[in-house]
Amino acid sequence: MRNLILAGLAALLLPQTVLASAGAIDLTQHWVGFVALTLFVIAYFLVVIEERTHLRKSIPVIIAAGGIWALIALVYAGQGDNESVQGYLRHGLLEYAELMLFLLVAMTYINIMQERNVFEALRGWLISRGFSLRAIYWITGTIAFFMSPLADNMTTALVLASVALAVGRDNPRFVVVACVSIVVAANAGGVFSPFGDITTLMVWQKGKLDATEFLVLFVPSLVNWLVPAAIMSFVVPKSTPPAAESSVHIKRGGVVVIFMFIGTVAMTVSLHSFLHLPPAFGMVTGLGLVKLFGWWIEKQEAHAQQADHLQDAPLNTFNELARSEWDTLLFFYGVIMCVGGLGAIGYLAVGSEWMYNGLGATNANILVGVVSAIVDNIPVMYAVLTMNPPMPDGQWLLVTMTAGVGGSLLSIGSAAGVAVMGQARGVYTFGAHFKWSWAIALGYAASIAVHFWINGEYFSMTHPG
């Protein structure tokens, strides 16, 4: 009975041309493909309007992924092939599992540092020093650039934007340019580290570039921030606001956690480079170590609490693990599975042919950055990685950079920009950011030119991976 049902469905679902002998079915011109593409577009539209609907962004993409793969599975089952789709799905699930575990550890470390008041102490120190507005402008941008390779760009932007809001609360013009500079710096700083952005992490885990190769993007990414920052600095007032008192102190073990995070990153890179172990393995090992340290801190603080020496609740690393951005992690699942499904249908092969053969690698990779200002850079980069166009390392470095910094062109183009818009509501807006998009675009073009200039040798190199 099951075979009869599948055969009947296959008669409706199968396209006129079936590449069964090659193990792949081309659905790009069939209604199944059109329906799958429509599901993805609708799901992503719901993601874009999340602020209005308050529907968590993970929900529509997870549902769309289920629908897309169900249609694909029906087509293959109708051909008597019950193995191919399982293979495609398991490949996508493995990629997601590695990415999810890596990000889960990184998020937990950041949460622990937040709980230990590490970021609040930094904010308090900056506010209490009595710096001029120009000094704050350059200090916050510089810290954002160098902080984002380890902390995620959203956390970095939120911490430093809060400083700009605190010292410039009576000067909206300063707050706008300071927030724009912070967002651009946070996005640019994540480019020269495999840990700095989701897209760089994806490229590294895919084996397209070695961890050390990302470092050659330091100067281009610095130029990407410095060009618009220098232009905007001319409108920053020279006044010095009064210093604000701050009594925030880092809790017990907070500094140690910072160094443990740096050590975990170093261990992850070493295990991957020398023993070829997946990056997620090193990160999860580091999670075990920080949990062991957290257990010791919890025992110390519980004892102090009993002796009335501590008012706050003791550190609980499992609570910090639970505070991870699960909506974001599940959003990555939905995106990876949706894009993987579109790849199985054949759309990514068509897109690769149009972009990389029609436009050329350089133009295509520059376009990726522009598109990432409108569409989240994660599905864009995952699509490029799934297309897997044959490119030298210089081009993989280029697309890594453009996907990372292209989101700065619009305030909605990156998690950092969206988060700061919510924090500085009514001051740092889409329109306020857009007024400086021309300066950011100059930085975008300059960073690409500098990359070609100083990293020309990489355009003749091809990574074994």
Side-chain angles (χ1 to χ4, degrees):
M1 183 66 180
R2 183 176 69 91
N3 291 337
L4 286 174
I5 294 173
L6 289 175
L9 287 170
L12 296 173
L13 293 170
L14 281 177
Q16 296 299 314
T17 304
V18 177
L19 306 177
S21 60
I25 303 176
D26 182 5
L27 296 171
T28 56
Q29 298 300 315
H30 190 260
W31 73 265
V32 168
F34 297 147
V35 170
L37 197 59
T38 302
L39 284 174
F40 180 69
V41 170
I42 292 173
Y44 208 82
F45 174 74
L46 291 173
V47 170
V48 171
I49 62 172
E50 178 188 9
E51 291 294 321
R52 293 186 178 183
T53 64
H54 303 291
L55 177 69
R56 294 297 187 94
K57 61 181 176 291
S58 61
I59 297 173
V61 290
I62 288 175
I63 294 173
I68 290 170
W69 280 103
L71 289 173
I72 296 171
L74 279 172
V75 171
Y76 277 83
Q79 286 290 294
D81 182 357
N82 296 315
E83 302 296 326
S84 295
V85 174
Q86 290 187 40
Y88 298 148
L89 278 171
R90 287 197 172 104
H91 177 74
L93 286 171
L94 177 61
E95 289 193 345
Y96 169 70
E98 290 187 1
L99 179 65
M100 187 270 288
L101 288 172
F102 189 105
L103 293 174
L104 187 62
V105 176
M107 288 176 177
T108 302
Y109 262 106
I110 297 300
N111 289 343
I112 293 173
M113 284 189 273
Q114 286 179 331
E115 193 276 338
R116 296 286 93 183
N117 286 341
V118 170
F119 301 121
E120 275 298 304
L122 171 63
R123 174 183 176 275
W125 183 85
L126 288 170
I127 293 173
S128 65
R129 291 302 140 190
F131 293 119
S132 69
L133 290 181
R134 283 202 168 183
I136 286 290
Y137 173 81
W138 284 110
I139 290 171
T140 53
T142 301
I143 293 176
F145 183 81
F146 288 101
M147 182 174 162
S148 61
L150 287 177
D152 66 279
N153 61 354
M154 185 173 72
T155 299
T156 298
L158 285 174
V159 170
L160 295 167
S162 68
V163 174
L165 283 166
V167 299
R169 56 183 176 272
D170 299 323
N171 198 320
R173 192 176 187 185
F174 163 76
V175 172
V176 168
V177 292
C179 287
V180 173
S181 173
I182 289 165
V183 169
V184 175
N187 290 334
V191 165
F192 64 90
S193 164
F195 304 89
D197 191 79
I198 306 300
T199 52
T200 59
L201 176 60
M202 292 164 68
V203 172
W204 182 45
Q205 288 199 148
K206 197 75 170 180
K208 295 301 178 184
L209 298 167
D210 290 327
T212 55
E213 285 187 281
F214 290 94
L215 294 175
V216 304
L217 291 174
F218 174 79
V219 174
S221 61
L222 183 61
V223 168
N224 181 270
W225 166 58
L226 281 179
V227 169
I231 294 171
M232 292 186 295
S233 68
F234 289 103
V235 302
V236 177
K238 297 179 180 179
S239 59
T240 301
E245 293 185 6
S246 175
S247 59
V248 177
H249 299 286
I250 298 177
K251 294 182 183 179
R252 185 197 303 258
V255 175
V256 176
V257 172
I258 296 173
F259 285 102
M260 289 189 73
F261 186 35
I262 295 171
T264 295
V265 169
M267 176 179 65
T268 299
V269 172
S270 299
L271 290 174
H272 181 68
S273 299
F274 299 114
L275 299 179
H276 306 290
L277 297 176
F281 177 82
M283 291 295 285
V284 174
T285 302
L287 176 64
L289 293 174
V290 78
K291 281 187 167 294
L292 179 62
F293 178 69
W295 168 81
W296 182 79
I297 291 293
E298 184 178 8
K299 299 282 283 185
Q300 297 292 314
E301 292 186 336
H303 183 267
Q305 191 176 46
Q306 290 177 357
D308 295 327
H309 296 150
L310 182 70
Q311 298 299 320
D312 297 330
L315 171 65
N316 186 323
T317 55
F318 282 95
N319 287 344
E320 304 313 314
L321 176 67
R323 283 201 309 117
S324 297
E325 288 285 335
W326 288 100
D327 181 47
T328 299
L329 292 171
L330 291 173
F331 170 71
F332 293 154
Y333 164 82
V335 165
I336 287 174
M337 300 311 292
C338 281
V339 174
L342 296 178
I345 288 171
Y347 283 124
L348 296 187
V350 174
S352 180
E353 176 69 24
W354 176 76
M355 287 179 62
Y356 287 95
N357 292 337
L359 299 178
T362 298
N363 291 332
N365 290 332
I366 293 173
L367 179 62
V368 164
V370 176
V371 171
S372 69
I374 304 169
V375 180
D376 193 278
N377 60 358
I378 294 165
V380 174
M381 178 54 81
Y382 187 71
V384 173
L385 289 169
T386 306
M387 292 175 191
N388 195 24
M391 299 190 297
D393 286 7
Q395 291 290 352
W396 281 110
L397 287 165
L398 176 62
V399 73
T400 298
M401 181 178 70
T402 57
V405 303
S408 300
L409 293 167
L410 299 175
S411 61
I412 60 170
S414 67
V418 172
V420 174
M421 276 198 302
Q423 188 178 40
R425 192 178 301 277
V427 181
Y428 173 71
T429 61
F430 177 88
H433 185 105
F434 188 71
K435 288 179 181 178
W436 294 103
S437 290
W438 63 272
I440 300 169
L442 288 177
Y444 182 73
S447 63
I448 293 170
V450 170
H451 172 55
F452 275 96
W453 176 39
I454 68 173
N455 297 325
E457 60 186 283
Y458 287 89
F459 286 88
S460 60
M461 296 170 52
T462 302
H463 193 72

